[in-house]
Amino acid sequence: MARRRVVVVQGGPSTEAEVSRESAKGVAKALTDVGHQAVRMELNGFLAESIREGGYDVVFPVSHGAVGEDGSLQGLLEVLEIPYVGSNVLASAVAMDKRAARVMLAASGLPVPRGDAVVRNGESPLAVAARIRAALGDSLFVKPSNGGSSI
């Protein structure tokens, strides 16, 4: 196996930045354990320059939320012509928008669990919660439309 120089991208402006840093630790350790050189880098304004100057073989994005998994980072890496692990720009952008992803998956004939998009239109949070619980029952979880973590 060829030894690769891998950048593991973590952090960023998202509320999920700290979670991604913990994930990045595990990814970097696993890569190192199998013989690759893994360097963790923060998703910030210096990332492009750091990657370009470092002569890395591939980027492994582990940042969560906005900018990291919404297609933005993937677009940057494509502009830099740096190979990366994971979904491309379009797939990342669509997957980040939970409502758009549900529509596209269902339109493609894939099974999609029952769900509802919360659009308040003046409804109180309690009224929204009551409407959703009436439609879906008590066993449910909430995901922000453009975030990764569940509530």
Side-chain angles (χ1 to χ4, degrees):
M1 172 179 69
R3 182 178 156 111
R4 303 275 185 226
R5 293 174 38 95
V6 183
V7 173
V8 180
V9 178
Q10 65 182 21
S14 163
T15 58
E16 302 170 75
E18 198 53 46
V19 172
S20 86
R21 289 183 189 104
E22 286 301 314
S23 299
K25 282 182 194 175
V27 169
K29 181 181 181 327
L31 289 166
T32 302
D33 287 350
V34 296
H36 299 294
Q37 179 186 358
V39 175
R40 290 187 298 145
M41 289 189 187
E42 193 70 18
L43 177 55
N44 60 27
F46 302 103
L47 180 65
E49 183 179 344
S50 299
I51 291 172
R52 190 179 284 159
E53 290 177 356
Y56 298 98
D57 299 309
V58 65
V59 172
F60 196 125
V62 186
S63 51
H64 300 295
V67 182
E69 67 178 320
D70 64 0
S72 299
L73 174 58
Q74 294 78 5
L76 171 67
L77 296 171
E78 288 193 13
V79 168
L80 295 174
E81 298 180 341
I82 304 283
Y84 58 93
V85 174
S87 300
N88 67 15
V89 176
L90 179 60
S92 297
V94 170
M96 187 66 170
D97 186 313
K98 306 309 180 272
R99 190 172 192 184
R102 289 180 58 80
V103 168
M104 291 183 75
L105 292 169
S108 297
L110 295 169
V112 178
R114 289 184 320 139
D116 197 352
V118 175
V119 180
R120 288 184 41 201
N121 293 333
E123 273 184 293
S124 75
L126 289 176
V128 170
R131 179 172 48 81
I132 298 296
R133 285 181 67 196
L136 301 176
D138 291 335
S139 234
L140 55 94
F141 65 96
V142 176
K143 291 187 79 65
S145 182
N146 282 301
S149 295
S150 299
I151 300 170

